[in-house]
């Protein structure tokens, strides 16, 4: 009986902690990209169908047919508090983790500090063959070929010191080595107040 009471007490405490932690954060803005153009907070605004959903993108900094950077302009933000930015990053194609062809993805404050630098990606191909992806979320046609894609949820902190007069501009950029084989997109973007 004592064990049952102790177990119930532990579960109750855990539920109270979870409830109070989720109550502490407030969603300030959400962005999904169901239409051909994203809201005016984004530059560029063009969307692309990957899987069953439209996503912001696609991007490639080495291919002139696609934009290289996404910028999110946020206004009317609360003062003196760190914010959390969560999003689904969609990696399309053969992103490389190491070697001469290593890729990189960076999120930063425009003209300011980097908030995230990624050099490891979930894009695994057997024998570097695009037609043999491992653990991917699906396949999308980009140009003349089908490419595997992987979706990775990411969360970063926007420090309150980066927010000036209630505004901040966030820059997303991939530094890719593949002009026709690597792309990226964004979806399910959420801005939370902690």
């Amino acid at each position: 009986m004592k064990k049952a009471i102790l177990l119930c007490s532990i579960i109750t405490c855990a539920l109270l902690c979870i409830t109070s932690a989720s109550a502490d954060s407030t969603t300030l803005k959400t962005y999904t990209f169901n239409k051909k153009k994203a809201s005016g907070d984004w530059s560029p605004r063009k969307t692309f169908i990957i899987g069953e959903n439209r996503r912001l993108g696609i991007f490639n900094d080495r291919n002139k047919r696609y934009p290289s950077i996404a910028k999110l302009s946020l206004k009317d933000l609360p003062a003196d508090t760190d914010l959390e930015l969560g999003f689904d990053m969609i990696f399309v194609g053969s992103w490389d983790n190491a070697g001469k062809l290593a890729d990189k993805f960076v999120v930063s404050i425009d003209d300011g500090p980097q908030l995230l630098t990624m050099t490891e990606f979930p894009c695994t191909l057997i024998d570097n063959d695009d037609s043999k992806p491992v653990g991917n979320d699906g396949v999308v046609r980009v140009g003349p070929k089908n490419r595997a894609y992987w979706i990775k949820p990411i969360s970063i902190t926007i420090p309150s010191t980066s927010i000036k007069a209630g505004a901040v501009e966030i820059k997303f950029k991939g530094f890719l080595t593949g002009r026709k084989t690597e792309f990226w997109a964004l979806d399910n973007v959420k801005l939370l107040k902690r």
Side-chain angles (χ1 to χ4, degrees):
M1 182 69 169
K2 288 182 181 180
K3 287 182 182 180
I5 293 172
L6 178 63
L7 182 60
C8 287
S9 298
I10 292 171
I11 291 171
T12 302
C13 287
L15 288 173
L16 286 173
C17 289
I18 291 169
T19 303
S20 66
S22 63
D24 289 347
S25 64
T26 305
T27 302
L28 300 175
K29 297 181 187 268
T30 59
Y31 302 94
T32 54
F33 306 101
N34 328 5
K35 299 178 181 174
K36 288 188 178 184
K37 292 207 178 229
S39 77
D41 294 352
W42 290 94
S43 174
R45 298 176 58 200
K46 189 174 179 185
T47 63
F48 189 83
I49 296 174
I50 299 175
E52 296 180 6
N53 300 322
R54 285 195 167 275
R55 324 282 183 156
L56 184 69
I58 56 178
F59 299 90
N60 181 305
D61 66 315
R62 297 200 55 213
N63 190 323
K64 291 181 182 180
R65 294 184 64 207
Y66 304 97
S68 61
I69 296 172
K71 288 186 181 182
L72 172 59
S73 298
L74 297 167
K75 297 175 183 148
D76 303 321
L77 301 176
D80 303 324
T81 184
D82 293 347
L83 302 177
E84 183 179 331
L85 184 68
F87 59 95
D88 286 344
M89 176 70 187
I90 297 102
F91 299 96
V92 178
S94 57
W95 288 57
D96 301 291
N97 293 318
K100 278 176 37 177
L101 299 177
D103 299 302
K104 182 167 72 169
F105 182 75
V106 174
V107 180
S108 62
I109 303 296
D110 197 31
D111 296 326
Q114 289 186 358
L115 305 175
L116 171 74
T117 301
M118 291 183 73
T119 55
E120 293 187 22
F121 310 102
C123 313
T124 304
L125 303 172
I126 295 172
D127 297 327
N128 209 25
D129 184 342
D130 281 336
S131 67
K132 298 178 182 176
V134 177
N136 61 308
D137 291 288
V139 176
V140 61
R141 188 165 200 79
V142 181
K145 288 187 106 178
N146 285 330
R147 305 256 174 228
Y149 67 87
W150 292 259
I151 301 173
K152 181 174 176 70
I154 295 176
S155 180
I156 59 173
T157 299
I158 301 171
S160 62
T161 54
S162 297
I163 301 168
K164 308 295 182 201
V168 68
E169 191 167 75
I170 310 295
K171 180 169 72 173
F172 303 81
K173 183 167 185 183
F175 297 86
L176 306 176
T177 54
R179 192 169 68 84
K180 296 181 179 179
T181 58
E182 299 163 346
F183 304 89
W184 60 275
L186 300 171
D187 201 4
N188 299 318
V189 180
K190 270 188 188 172
L191 183 68
L192 303 170
K193 178 182 174 183
R194 292 182 176 179

